[in-house]
Amino acid sequence: MKTVADPVLVGGGLGFAEGINFDRDGTLYCVDLEGGGVWRMPRGHALQHWVHTGGRPNGSRFGPAGDLFVADRGRKAILRLSTGAGSIAVYADRWEGRPFLGPNDLCFGPDGLLYFTDPEGSSLANPTGAVYAVAVDGSVARVAAGLAYPNGLAVTPDGAILIVAETATGLLRRYSLAAGGAREELEPFAALSKLGAGPDGMAFGADGLLYVADYGLGFVHVVAPDGAVVAGMPGGGPTPTNVAFWQDSLYVTEGTSGSIYRFDIGTSEQPPFMRPW
């Protein structure tokens, strides 16, 4: 990993950029939270609008069948989008009959469970945020509750631990994903700087390090497997929101400017679970 890499602007013009991912062929997908749209950028082309979700899309991840799964704050739901047909279906929108607060980000585990954060309206003074898991049969279970704005999340490369960014405290919380469905909260993985709003989206690199956008601080933290922050790089602006890898570069969405930046750091991704490539 290069500890210093200049940001290269690759796309812009969004109201609030979030939820970046790449498909098998290197087409960039991201969301415009304020505009309610999902955008994409085929290789060699400009960023272009693809579909409108009818809400306020936030995090996104590719999953089974190559579909794009989107956490939509406005629709209070997890959506499943077919990249071929552009169709949109509701994947989950309630737990025990109650609607979600407003999902923020999501990731898959090795067993097909989709984990997502549900923070809307939560804060230090009102820690009502939660984390849920959606099984392949559509059933929803609550993993954690009482959190102060749970945000980005990722499953460790060995599939054993779920890491959740609690933005209002700066903590990266940890939950064991033991066989049989037991989920125990462990000691926090790391405590990040509270100079900004706090940690946001994250992704693992092939180097075993976790790359975490820090919204408000303007940095991407690089965290080692022991929880030590080993490096940091400017995130392209004051409010980096999410990160993704393509080839040997890290791509960062910067919310306020509505832009996407590339950092040529010489590190590729740790392929996430359940994506068919």
Side-chain angles (χ1 to χ4, degrees):
M1 179 196 70
K2 297 178 183 177
T3 56
V4 177
D6 294 328
V8 177
L9 179 66
V10 298
L14 304 178
F16 191 93
E18 249 282 12
I20 185 169
N21 287 277
F22 289 86
D23 71 6
R24 186 193 307 270
D25 299 322
T27 296
L28 183 158
Y29 285 75
C30 67
V31 308
D32 183 355
L33 189 152
E34 296 302 336
V38 180
W39 292 61
R40 60 184 177 184
M41 179 190 293
R43 298 178 68 182
H45 296 270
L47 191 63
Q48 53 196 248
H49 183 265
W50 176 44
V51 295
H52 195 281
T53 69
R56 301 182 72 212
N58 203 104
S60 70
R61 285 288 190 281
F62 280 105
D67 290 343
L68 188 67
F69 292 75
V70 176
D72 195 299
R73 293 165 61 175
R75 294 186 61 174
K76 301 182 185 298
I78 304 299
L79 307 177
R80 183 172 185 169
L81 283 64
S82 166
T83 55
S87 59
I88 301 175
V90 174
Y91 192 66
D93 64 356
R94 59 195 61 241
W95 172 70
E96 295 188 345
R98 289 173 283 183
F100 300 130
L101 300 174
N104 184 288
D105 211 345
L106 67 170
C107 69
F108 282 94
D111 53 2
L113 287 174
L114 185 154
Y115 297 95
F116 70 93
T117 53
D118 189 34
E120 196 72 5
S122 65
S123 64
L124 274 176
N126 183 42
T128 56
V131 180
Y132 294 96
V134 186
V136 293
D137 64 1
S139 61
V140 180
R142 192 163 69 178
V143 175
L147 300 180
Y149 212 92
N151 202 322
L153 71 175
V155 174
T156 54
D158 62 4
I161 301 290
L162 175 68
I163 298 177
V164 177
E166 188 177 34
T167 301
T169 64
L171 293 176
L172 299 184
R173 295 193 176 274
R174 294 191 305 157
Y175 302 88
S176 69
L177 303 179
R183 301 181 184 94
E184 177 187 1
E185 183 169 8
L186 308 174
E187 289 295 316
F189 177 56
L192 302 183
S193 168
K194 279 302 296 161
L195 295 176
D200 202 327
M202 62 181 73
F204 277 100
D207 54 9
L209 302 176
L210 181 64
Y211 294 74
V212 185
D214 197 310
Y215 185 89
L217 185 61
F219 267 78
V220 175
H221 299 288
V222 185
V223 187
D226 63 359
V229 179
V230 297
M233 64 184 73
T239 57
T241 58
N242 227 313
V243 298
F245 290 91
W246 170 251
Q247 296 181 333
D248 290 336
S249 298
L250 181 72
Y251 289 73
V252 180
T253 47
E254 206 289 315
T256 303
S257 65
S259 302
I260 302 164
Y261 292 92
R262 187 185 80 234
F263 296 82
D264 299 324
I265 61 174
T267 299
S268 58
E269 71 172 359
Q270 170 66 44
F273 296 105
M274 301 307 298
R275 195 184 67 185
W277 59 83

